[in-house]
Amino acid sequence: LTTPRQSNEQADDCRKYLTPPFLSTPPPPTTTTMPLESCMILLDTSEYMRNGDYLPTRLDAQSDAANMIVNQKTASNPESTVGVIRMSSSGPASGAELLVSPTDDLGKILSALHRVPLSGKMVNGTSTRDAVDVPASVQVATLALKHRRNKNGAQRIVLFVGSPLSHADVRSLVKAGKQLKKNNVFIDVIALGELEENEPKLRELVDAANGTSTDDNAERNCHLVTIPAGVLPSDVLISSPILRGDGGGMAMGDGSGGGGAGGGGGDAFAEYGGVDPNMDPELAMALRVSMEEERARQERAAAAAAAAAGNESKESEGGDATTAGGDPMQVGEGVVGHGNNMEDLTDEDALLQQALAMSMAENEAATSSENAGRNEDTAMDTGDDDEDAAMQMALQMSMQGEGEDNATDSAAAPGQFQDPAFVSNVSDC
């Protein structure tokens, strides 16, 4: 039987084991929020967009780049919105037409991009207006962003300029940039053609939108990208801060780059061969593996070349030292005789060469002593062999002499018995 106190203690023990620390309330999961942004894309639809310096035309190249920007903006966050404005000189004055207000309907945005026609008139030399009015178009875009649906996201304007801004006033552009800065609206400018004339003015606009900051490392959210003639804008924009979304400085691309160096971030995806892994992960990974293999191959080739060069230098130094160190006395004379040449060398090099020559001399002396010892052993072995051969020859000669004497005695015996005097003497005895 258990007392009530013991039963309470057992219940506490059971609760302790039934509620271990790992069954406690887990912390809330950490979630990464994608940037929320409302963007207005301003398209240049003047007659200058018929030029074929960008394949196939400036208008088609602009449409391709705008399509890529729209896909990136809508894919970054499901709640991001994009709008489209058409800039042209319609009638007596330049204007801006709102095609699509900021929306997250991708079909409506793409439909507006692909049905943008060329409109307006070519501006002749006597006209006092440009083909597009950038300050007025920027004000229309700012007004459209002001009435966006989601007020929490950032505001951005992407401006395409493909016509000359001959009559654009720098002060009006700077004023428009300061107004954007005041309203917390960022602007990205993409220049297609007429770079020599438009680039300085567009740079003033972007600088005014970024604000006057003396710190070079300050974050700049407004960018200027110039597309050289003959280069696809989408190839430049894919590595530019406009699509990367970082706070890099002003992205500039000069015509001397000759192939898409403009964007200022050509080396952003250098690890993947210049391909954005978010756009094509398989191709980016294949390029990365190929670059790593090529780098490893080059390192192996460099190591092999260095080893071969080291072996050749050692062989050449050994040959020189052997030639100079044939005889220890000659080596000493050579070291003393080359004293004039050693004056031109450093003390360390002279000591190193002297030590090398002395070591080679010692090696030669040791080698000669070993050879002498081997010759003495060979001579002793040869003397022993000659003595054994002489003894064998003398033994053979003695045996041949005894045989001849016996033969003489045996040949002389029959003659003595035939002598009468010898026979008579023997019989008298």
Side-chain angles (χ1 to χ4, degrees), residues 120-166:
K121 299 179 181 179
M122 292 290 291
V123 179
N124 53 28
T126 60
S127 176
T128 59
R129 299 188 182 92
D130 293 328
V132 293
D133 189 353
V134 173
S137 302
V138 169
Q139 290 180 3
V140 174
T142 304
L143 184 61
L145 290 173
K146 185 178 180 181
H147 297 281
R148 65 189 184 278
R149 182 178 59 187
N150 195 338
K151 304 293 184 180
N152 296 326
Q155 306 175 74
R156 184 174 295 275
I157 296 175
V158 179
L159 173 64
F160 287 89
V161 179
S163 55
L165 302 177
S166 303

Coordinates of all heavy atoms in Angstrom, one line a residue, residues 120-166:
G120 N 3.5 59.1 -82.8 CA 4.2 60.4 -82.7 C 4.9 60.7 -84.0 O 4.8 60.0 -85.0
K121 N 5.5 61.8 -84.0 CA 6.2 62.3 -85.3 C 7.7 62.5 -85.0 O 8.1 62.7 -83.8 CB 5.6 63.6 -85.7 CG 4.1 63.5 -86.0 CD 3.6 64.9 -86.4 CE 2.1 64.8 -86.8 NZ 1.5 66.1 -87.1
M122 N 8.4 62.4 -86.0 CA 9.9 62.6 -85.9 C 10.1 64.1 -85.7 O 9.4 65.0 -86.3 CB 10.6 62.2 -87.2 CG 10.6 60.7 -87.4 SD 11.7 59.8 -86.3 CE 13.3 60.4 -86.8
V123 N 10.9 64.4 -84.8 CA 11.2 65.8 -84.4 C 12.3 66.4 -85.4 O 13.4 65.8 -85.5 CB 11.7 66.0 -83.0 CG1 12.0 67.4 -82.6 CG2 10.6 65.4 -82.0
N124 N 11.9 67.4 -86.1 CA 12.9 68.0 -87.1 C 13.9 68.9 -86.4 O 13.8 69.2 -85.2 CB 12.2 68.7 -88.2 CG 11.2 69.7 -87.7 OD1 11.3 70.2 -86.6 ND2 10.1 69.9 -88.5
G125 N 14.8 69.5 -87.1 CA 15.8 70.3 -86.6 C 15.3 71.7 -86.0 O 15.9 72.3 -85.2
T126 N 14.1 72.1 -86.5 CA 13.6 73.4 -86.1 C 12.7 73.3 -84.9 O 12.2 74.3 -84.4 CB 12.8 74.0 -87.3 OG1 11.8 73.2 -87.7 CG2 13.8 74.3 -88.4
S127 N 12.4 72.0 -84.5 CA 11.4 71.9 -83.4 C 12.1 72.2 -82.1 O 13.3 72.0 -81.9 CB 10.9 70.4 -83.4 OG 10.1 70.2 -82.2
T128 N 11.3 72.6 -81.1 CA 11.9 73.0 -79.8 C 11.5 71.9 -78.7 O 11.6 72.1 -77.5 CB 11.3 74.3 -79.3 OG1 9.9 74.3 -79.3 CG2 11.8 75.4 -80.2
R129 N 11.0 70.8 -79.2 CA 10.6 69.7 -78.3 C 11.3 68.4 -78.7 O 11.7 68.2 -79.8 CB 9.0 69.4 -78.4 CG 8.2 70.6 -78.0 CD 6.7 70.1 -78.0 NE 5.8 71.2 -77.6 CZ 5.2 72.0 -78.5 NH1 5.4 71.7 -79.8 NH2 4.4 72.9 -78.2
D130 N 11.5 67.6 -77.7 CA 12.1 66.2 -77.9 C 11.0 65.3 -78.3 O 9.8 65.5 -78.1 CB 12.9 65.8 -76.7 CG 14.1 66.6 -76.4 OD1 14.7 67.1 -77.4 OD2 14.4 66.8 -75.2
A131 N 11.5 64.1 -78.8 CA 10.5 63.0 -79.1 C 9.7 62.6 -77.9 O 8.6 62.2 -78.0 CB 11.2 61.9 -79.8
V132 N 10.4 62.6 -76.7 CA 9.7 62.2 -75.5 C 10.0 63.2 -74.4 O 11.1 63.9 -74.4 CB 10.2 60.8 -75.0 CG1 9.8 59.7 -75.9 CG2 11.7 60.7 -74.8
D133 N 9.1 63.4 -73.5 CA 9.3 64.3 -72.4 C 9.5 63.5 -71.1 O 8.6 63.0 -70.5 CB 8.0 65.2 -72.3 CG 8.2 66.4 -71.3 OD1 9.3 66.4 -70.7 OD2 7.3 67.2 -71.2
V134 N 10.8 63.4 -70.8 CA 11.1 62.6 -69.6 C 10.6 63.1 -68.3 O 10.0 62.4 -67.5 CB 12.7 62.4 -69.6 CG1 13.1 61.6 -68.3 CG2 13.1 61.6 -70.8
P135 N 10.7 64.4 -68.0 CA 10.2 64.9 -66.7 C 8.7 64.7 -66.6 O 8.2 64.3 -65.5 CB 10.6 66.4 -66.7 CG 11.8 66.5 -67.6 CD 11.5 65.5 -68.7
A136 N 8.0 65.0 -67.6 CA 6.5 64.8 -67.6 C 6.1 63.4 -67.4 O 5.2 63.0 -66.6 CB 5.9 65.4 -68.8
S137 N 6.8 62.5 -68.1 CA 6.5 61.1 -68.0 C 6.8 60.5 -66.6 O 6.1 59.7 -66.0 CB 7.3 60.3 -69.0 OG 7.0 60.7 -70.3
V138 N 7.9 61.0 -66.0 CA 8.3 60.6 -64.6 C 7.2 61.1 -63.6 O 6.9 60.4 -62.7 CB 9.7 61.2 -64.3 CG1 10.0 61.0 -62.8 CG2 10.8 60.4 -65.1
Q139 N 6.7 62.3 -63.8 CA 5.7 62.8 -62.9 C 4.4 61.9 -63.0 O 3.7 61.6 -62.0 CB 5.3 64.2 -63.3 CG 6.5 65.2 -62.9 CD 6.1 66.7 -63.2 OE1 5.0 66.9 -63.7 NE2 7.1 67.6 -63.0
V140 N 4.0 61.5 -64.3 CA 2.9 60.7 -64.4 C 3.1 59.3 -63.7 O 2.2 58.8 -63.1 CB 2.5 60.5 -65.9 CG1 1.4 59.4 -66.1 CG2 2.2 61.8 -66.6
A141 N 4.3 58.8 -63.9 CA 4.6 57.5 -63.2 C 4.5 57.6 -61.7 O 4.1 56.7 -61.0 CB 5.9 57.0 -63.7
T142 N 5.0 58.8 -61.2 CA 5.0 59.0 -59.7 C 3.5 59.1 -59.2 O 3.2 58.5 -58.2 CB 5.7 60.3 -59.4 OG1 7.1 60.2 -59.9 CG2 5.8 60.5 -57.9
L143 N 2.7 59.7 -60.0 CA 1.3 59.8 -59.6 C 0.6 58.4 -59.6 O -0.2 58.1 -58.8 CB 0.5 60.8 -60.6 CG -0.9 61.0 -60.3 CD1 -1.1 61.7 -58.9 CD2 -1.5 61.9 -61.3
A144 N 1.0 57.6 -60.6 CA 0.4 56.2 -60.7 C 0.9 55.4 -59.5 O 0.1 54.6 -58.9 CB 0.8 55.6 -62.0
L145 N 2.1 55.5 -59.1 CA 2.6 54.8 -57.9 C 2.0 55.3 -56.6 O 1.9 54.5 -55.7 CB 4.2 54.9 -57.8 CG 4.9 54.2 -58.9 CD1 6.4 54.5 -58.8 CD2 4.7 52.7 -58.8
K146 N 1.6 56.5 -56.6 CA 1.0 57.1 -55.4 C -0.3 56.4 -55.1 O -0.7 56.2 -53.9 CB 0.8 58.6 -55.6 CG 0.3 59.3 -54.3 CD 0.2 60.8 -54.5 CE -0.4 61.5 -53.3 NZ -0.5 62.9 -53.5
H147 N -1.0 56.0 -56.1 CA -2.3 55.3 -56.0 C -2.2 53.8 -56.1 O -3.2 53.1 -56.5 CB -3.3 55.8 -57.0 CG -3.6 57.3 -56.9 ND1 -4.5 57.8 -55.9 CD2 -3.1 58.4 -57.6 CE1 -4.5 59.1 -56.0 NE2 -3.7 59.5 -57.0
R148 N -1.1 53.2 -55.8 CA -0.9 51.8 -55.8 C -1.7 51.1 -54.8 O -2.2 51.7 -53.8 CB 0.6 51.4 -55.6 CG 1.1 51.8 -54.3 CD 2.7 51.6 -54.2 NE 3.2 51.9 -52.9 CZ 3.5 53.0 -52.4 NH1 3.2 54.1 -53.1 NH2 4.0 53.1 -51.2
R149 N -2.0 49.8 -55.0 CA -2.9 49.1 -54.1 C -2.2 48.8 -52.7 O -2.8 49.0 -51.7 CB -3.3 47.8 -54.8 CG -4.2 46.9 -54.0 CD -4.6 45.7 -54.8 NE -3.4 44.9 -55.1 CZ -3.4 43.8 -55.9 NH1 -4.5 43.4 -56.4 NH2 -2.3 43.2 -56.1
N150 N -1.0 48.3 -52.8 CA -0.2 47.9 -51.5 C 0.7 49.1 -51.2 O 1.7 49.3 -51.9 CB 0.5 46.6 -51.7 CG 1.0 46.0 -50.4 OD1 1.1 46.7 -49.4 ND2 1.2 44.7 -50.4
K151 N 0.5 49.8 -50.1 CA 1.3 50.9 -49.7 C 2.5 50.5 -49.0 O 3.3 51.4 -48.7 CB 0.4 51.8 -48.8 CG -0.9 52.3 -49.4 CD -0.7 53.2 -50.6 CE -2.0 53.7 -51.1 NZ -1.8 54.6 -52.3
N152 N 2.7 49.3 -48.7 CA 3.9 48.9 -47.9 C 5.1 48.7 -48.7 O 6.2 48.8 -48.2 CB 3.6 47.5 -47.2 CG 2.4 47.7 -46.2 OD1 2.3 48.8 -45.6 ND2 1.6 46.7 -46.0
G153 N 5.0 48.3 -50.0 CA 6.2 48.1 -50.8 C 6.9 49.3 -51.2 O 6.4 50.4 -51.1
A154 N 8.1 49.1 -51.8 CA 8.9 50.2 -52.3 C 8.4 50.6 -53.7 O 7.6 49.9 -54.3 CB 10.4 49.8 -52.4
Q155 N 8.8 51.8 -54.1 CA 8.3 52.4 -55.4 C 9.6 52.5 -56.3 O 10.6 53.0 -55.9 CB 7.7 53.7 -55.2 CG 6.6 53.7 -54.2 CD 6.1 55.1 -53.9 OE1 5.4 55.7 -54.8 NE2 6.4 55.7 -52.8
R156 N 9.4 52.1 -57.5 CA 10.5 52.1 -58.5 C 10.0 52.4 -59.9 O 8.9 52.0 -60.3 CB 11.3 50.8 -58.5 CG 12.5 50.8 -59.4 CD 13.3 49.6 -59.2 NE 13.9 49.5 -57.9 CZ 15.0 50.0 -57.5 NH1 15.7 50.8 -58.4 NH2 15.5 49.8 -56.3
I157 N 10.8 53.2 -60.6 CA 10.5 53.5 -62.0 C 11.6 53.0 -62.9 O 12.8 53.2 -62.6 CB 10.3 55.0 -62.2 CG1 9.1 55.5 -61.4 CG2 10.1 55.4 -63.7 CD1 8.9 57.0 -61.5
V158 N 11.3 52.3 -63.9 CA 12.3 51.8 -64.9 C 12.0 52.6 -66.2 O 11.0 52.4 -66.9 CB 12.1 50.3 -65.2 CG1 13.2 49.8 -66.2 CG2 12.4 49.5 -63.8
L159 N 13.0 53.4 -66.6 CA 12.8 54.3 -67.7 C 13.7 53.9 -68.9 O 14.9 53.7 -68.8 CB 13.2 55.7 -67.3 CG 13.2 56.8 -68.4 CD1 11.8 57.0 -69.0 CD2 13.8 58.1 -67.8
F160 N 13.0 53.6 -70.1 CA 13.8 53.3 -71.3 C 13.8 54.6 -72.1 O 12.8 55.2 -72.4 CB 13.0 52.2 -72.1 CG 13.2 50.8 -71.5 CD1 12.3 50.4 -70.5 CD2 14.2 50.0 -71.9 CE1 12.4 49.1 -70.0 CE2 14.4 48.7 -71.3 CZ 13.5 48.3 -70.4
V161 N 15.0 54.9 -72.6 CA 15.2 56.1 -73.4 C 16.0 55.7 -74.7 O 17.1 55.3 -74.6 CB 15.9 57.2 -72.7 CG1 16.1 58.5 -73.6 CG2 15.2 57.6 -71.4
G162 N 15.3 55.9 -75.8 CA 15.9 55.5 -77.1 C 15.9 56.6 -78.1 O 16.3 56.4 -79.3
S163 N 15.5 57.8 -77.7 CA 15.5 58.9 -78.6 C 16.3 60.1 -78.1 O 16.6 60.1 -76.8 CB 14.0 59.4 -78.8 OG 13.4 59.7 -77.5
P164 N 16.8 61.0 -78.9 CA 17.7 62.0 -78.4 C 17.0 63.0 -77.5 O 15.9 63.4 -77.8 CB 18.3 62.7 -79.7 CG 17.2 62.3 -80.7 CD 16.7 61.0 -80.4
L165 N 17.7 63.5 -76.5 CA 17.2 64.5 -75.6 C 17.9 65.8 -75.9 O 18.6 66.4 -75.0 CB 17.4 64.1 -74.1 CG 16.8 62.7 -73.7 CD1 17.1 62.4 -72.3 CD2 15.2 62.7 -73.9
S166 N 17.7 66.3 -77.1 CA 18.5 67.5 -77.5 C 18.0 68.7 -76.8 O 18.8 69.6 -76.5 CB 18.3 67.6 -79.1 OG 18.8 66.5 -79.7

